[in-house]
């Protein structure tokens, strides 16, 4: 694996997607928190040469089924060219995302900045420290969990 040079930076585009019920009520988050989330995301990632860029402002998706799902594996369609951050009111977990997918699902009200950073880490193929059993020579306790 090639090492990153000290001056090399990466930009990651994100799109904020806020779920609401069909009638426009019960929004998962208030969009007024997005600037704070962006600031905190960059505070987490910038020291590692990664910059988070918001594409557009945000959009609402009025779909009660997605907003009140108890099945966290369903997601509306993605906006291309960015990691789609779906904020869902009734997600049964704080967040869920998988490597190499361009979306993450985050429960509204679940410490959005911290959870969003954590889920972006999963999209970037970072695992929890207890999940490194595929590399038996690496002791998981030698590494911190992504926060």
């Amino acid at each position: 694996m090639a090492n990153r040079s000290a001056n090399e930076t990466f930009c990651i585009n994100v799109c904020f997607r806020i779920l609401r019920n069909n009638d426009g009520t019960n929004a998962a988050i208030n969009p007024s928190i997005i600037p704070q989330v962006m600031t905190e995301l960059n505070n987490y990632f910038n020291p590692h040469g990664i910059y988070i860029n918001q594409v557009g402002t945000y959009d609402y998706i009025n779909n009660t089924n997605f907003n009140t799902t108890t099945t966290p594996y369903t997601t509306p369609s993605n906006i291309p060219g960015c990691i789609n951050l779906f904020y869902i009111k009734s997600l049964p977990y704080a967040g869920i995302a998988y490597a190499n997918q361009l979306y993450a699902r985050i429960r509204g009200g679940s410490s959005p900045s911290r959870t969003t950073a954590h889920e972006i880490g999963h999209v970037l193929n970072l695992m929890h420290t207890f999940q490194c059993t595929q590399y038996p020579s690496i002791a998981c306790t030698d590494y911190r969990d992504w926060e």
Side-chain angles (χ1 to χ4, degrees):
M1 174 184 346
N3 290 329
R4 180 178 70 83
S5 77
N7 297 326
E8 191 174 11
T9 59
F10 299 93
C11 178
I12 296 174
N13 292 327
V14 297
C15 301
F16 287 84
R17 320 286 308 278
I18 303 169
L19 276 287
R20 303 188 296 193
N21 290 353
N22 291 341
D23 62 2
T25 63
N26 201 26
I29 63 167
N30 184 324
S32 67
I33 70 165
I34 292 173
Q36 175 188 349
V37 171
M38 284 299 300
T39 296
E40 291 179 20
L41 287 174
N42 278 302
N43 287 342
Y44 290 131
F45 285 99
N46 289 173
H48 307 285
I50 300 170
Y51 294 84
I52 307 297
N53 176 56
Q54 181 181 351
V55 174
T57 53
Y58 61 88
D59 70 343
Y60 287 114
I61 300 170
N62 293 340
N63 186 314
T64 302
N65 289 335
F66 285 129
N67 196 33
T68 58
T69 185
T70 56
T71 306
Y73 306 104
T74 57
T75 303
S77 61
N78 282 340
I79 294 173
C82 64
I83 296 174
N84 287 251
L85 303 173
F86 292 99
Y87 291 88
I88 302 171
K89 188 71 167 190
S90 298
L91 194 65
Y93 307 105
I96 190 166
Y98 296 100
N100 303 316
Q101 294 181 346
L102 290 179
Y103 62 89
R105 295 166 298 265
I106 298 115
R107 184 177 61 224
S110 61
S111 183
S113 301
R114 193 174 169 105
T115 302
T116 302
H118 179 98
E119 299 309 329
I120 288 173
H122 289 312
V123 171
L124 299 176
N125 203 23
L126 297 173
M127 297 182 289
H128 298 121
T129 54
F130 56 82
Q131 289 179 309
C132 63
T133 56
Q134 71 187 57
Y135 303 105
S137 64
I138 298 175
C140 295
T141 55
D142 291 342
Y143 299 92
R144 277 183 45 158
D145 193 11
W146 175 253
E147 295 181 343

